Amino acid sequence: MSNQEKLRILVIGAHPADIFDQSGGTMAHHVKRGDWVGALVVTHGARIHDKVISNNLFTAATIPQGDKLENMMKDRADVKTEEVFCACEILGVKREDVHFLGEDDAVTLESKDTIRKIAQIIRKLRPNVIITHFPMENGGVECPHANTGKNVMRAIFWAGSVDPEDPNPANKVAQVFFFGGGAAWVRGGLWDSLHGYTNDVFIDITDVIELKLKAIDSMVSQAYAGAYARKRIECSDGAFGQRAGTSYAEPFIKLYAELHEYLPVTEDALKLSRMSDHEIIIRRSYKLKTD
Ligand SMILES: [Zn+2]
């Protein structure tokens, strides 16, 4: 990969923790290789997964109204924004490369306004790779991740053209990688039975798994820090690693079919083909250091 052109990779998530949860290891890998990695978080995420808004208020007899609730939400959104900056710093993503649309996460809709804002950010940051949510997650039904994936897809299309309110020229991307499906890819609900797609790219993140753990540990406001982060990594990244022949991996679904000059056999596939079953089991067995 030494003659590989440096990539510009923009990771776009619906909620503050999504990009770390789904692609934190991959982000760290590309930063280490010298690629540019930027992040865009679409909603402030204060309504869901928040200790104060979605947990404490869940059991309250009455909900504060008007400015009081709005100010609480703003405070919690600020906390979550700082957590994103902190997690990005752990992975090596610079603060100036982290962007927020700050949308309310009550209901994430397919929206022309959101699409336009994302398109403008794409034209400004000029990525050639985008990582985002799978537009058919949960069947594409009432799913904020799916709607974000759809908004990003339309924004990619719009960013390939001009906008009278944007001085930046059009930008096209070379490839889109969608966050792969749930941990063991088993049916978690009715919509999952519609799957006709599979994770087709695995990134080996074993060498940066402790960094990913630290990044998820930063997500204190939604209770991901601590036991959950460890359990999630072992069950999910561990399951994908097991499938891919390593200890921990992140899965992706590639959008565009690829054109190659020669058959695309990866270095890792050749390496695995030369390992004994025992060596592969050892390779799969590295365990996260949890303290
Ligand atoms: Zn999310």
Side-chain angles (χ1 to χ4, degrees):
M1 292 295 276
S2 56
N3 58 356
Q4 162 88 48
E5 171 187 344
K6 294 277 182 246
L7 297 176
R8 290 185 65 79
I9 302 170
L10 179 61
V11 190
I12 305 177
H15 308 114
D18 292 335
I19 57 176
F20 312 110
D21 210 21
Q22 302 278 355
S23 63
T26 302
M27 291 163 73
H29 252 196
H30 281 278
V31 169
K32 278 181 182 227
R33 195 178 73 165
D35 295 322
W36 177 88
V37 177
L40 171 61
V41 177
V42 174
T43 73
H44 56 57
R47 282 179 191 268
I48 62 163
H49 296 315
D50 183 73
K51 279 200 296 197
V52 177
I53 307 294
S54 66
N55 193 16
N56 296 358
L57 292 188
F58 190 71
T59 51
T62 55
I63 302 299
Q65 295 295 293
D67 285 354
K68 199 167 177 205
L69 181 59
E70 284 207 5
N71 289 337
M72 276 177 80
M73 299 261 289
K74 190 181 173 314
D75 288 348
R76 297 311 298 168
D78 289 347
V79 168
K80 294 179 94 64
T81 297
E82 272 312 309
E83 289 176 356
V84 170
F85 279 131
C86 177
C88 276
E89 192 181 345
I90 288 164
L91 302 175
V93 175
K94 296 192 185 91
R95 198 176 175 98
E96 65 260 33
D97 296 326
V98 185
H99 301 263
F100 301 88
L101 290 192
E103 295 197 354
D104 193 320
D105 56 329
V107 179
T108 304
L109 298 172
E110 295 174 60
S111 146
K112 189 170 179 181
D113 182 55
T114 305
I115 292 166
R116 183 174 217 169
K117 286 180 188 161
I118 297 172
Q120 289 174 346
I121 287 174
I122 291 172
R123 280 191 215 96
K124 183 175 162 206
L125 300 178
R126 315 201 72 68
N128 40 32
V129 171
I130 284 182
I131 302 176
T132 193
H133 298 279
F134 189 61
M136 293 304 290
E137 181 176 330
N138 206 20
V141 182
E142 57 77 31
C143 174
H145 295 164
N147 282 347
T148 298
K150 288 173 190 166
N151 283 337
V152 172
M153 285 310 302
R154 288 167 183 140
I156 289 169
F157 180 78
W158 199 347
S161 174
V162 294
D163 181 339
E165 289 180 21
D166 184 358
N168 294 309
N171 181 81
K172 290 186 178 178
V173 299
Q175 186 59 283
V176 179
F177 294 93
F178 298 118
F179 300 137
W185 202 250
V186 292
R187 180 175 156 174
L190 176 63
W191 306 121
D192 288 340
S193 64
L194 299 171
H195 288 156
Y197 43 82
T198 52
N199 301 321
D200 58 0
V201 174
F202 292 95
I203 301 297
D204 188 345
I205 58 164
T206 308
D207 61 329
V208 291
I209 198 65
E210 273 83 18
L211 278 182
K212 176 163 181 172
L213 174 67
K214 274 179 83 177
I216 298 179
D217 260 346
S218 305
M219 301 288 119
V220 177
S221 71
Q222 65 182 63
Y224 275 15
Y228 178 82
R230 285 143 185 84
K231 179 93 177 183
R232 186 239 167 271
I233 282 174
E234 289 301 341
C235 290
S236 194
D237 299 332
F240 287 124
Q242 175 79 2
R243 172 53 63 102
T246 187
S247 292
Y248 300 101
E250 285 172 343
F252 297 95
I253 302 166
K254 217 167 45 215
L255 178 61
Y256 304 123
E258 292 178 341
L259 175 67
H260 296 272
E261 210 168 334
Y262 304 100
L263 296 171
V265 181
T266 67
E267 277 177 39
D268 196 72
L270 291 171
K271 193 169 156 188
L272 270 175
S273 74
R274 294 183 189 115
M275 293 170 80
S276 71
D277 288 352
H278 245 80
E279 286 171 322
I280 293 172
I281 286 168
I282 291 165
R283 189 189 192 220
R284 282 173 162 158
S285 302
Y286 174 78
K287 179 105 170 35
L288 179 75
K289 292 178 183 61
T290 57
D291 45 0

